Amino acid sequence: LTTNHQGRSMVFTMDNLNSHKNPLILNLIHNSGHRFVFRAPYWPVDGAVEYVFNTVQTRLHVYFNRLATIPALRNRIYLIIETI
């Protein structure tokens, strides 16, 4: 594992994907004088997209019985998104 910067160690920031925890890869990084850091586990509540989907879903539950057609559903989703 070489870099373009001789003498400088690198830090690899990785998510918690199983393949990123492969002992062979981690040893290669460590034995080459570099370090690795795993990010905090993914938590869907913290993501912006998840916030929007959760908000839309929560607000749609209020109107669920009143939405009889796809156009009505689509219109309600647009109205909800405009208020977020």
Side-chain angles (χ1 to χ4, degrees), residues 15-64:
D15 59 19
N16 288 290
L17 187 66
N18 284 338
S19 63
H20 293 163
K21 296 180 180 182
N22 183 311
L24 295 174
I25 300 299
L26 299 178
N27 285 332
L28 176 65
I29 292 170
H30 179 74
N31 293 337
S32 298
H34 306 295
R35 297 182 301 169
F36 53 87
V37 176
F38 289 102
R39 293 187 301 198
Y42 177 73
W43 186 251
V45 175
D46 295 335
V49 171
E50 286 79 7
Y51 170 77
V52 171
F53 283 131
N54 187 38
T55 302
V56 170
Q57 181 181 11
T58 301
R59 292 182 185 175
L60 275 178
H61 280 286
V62 174
Y63 296 96
F64 184 73

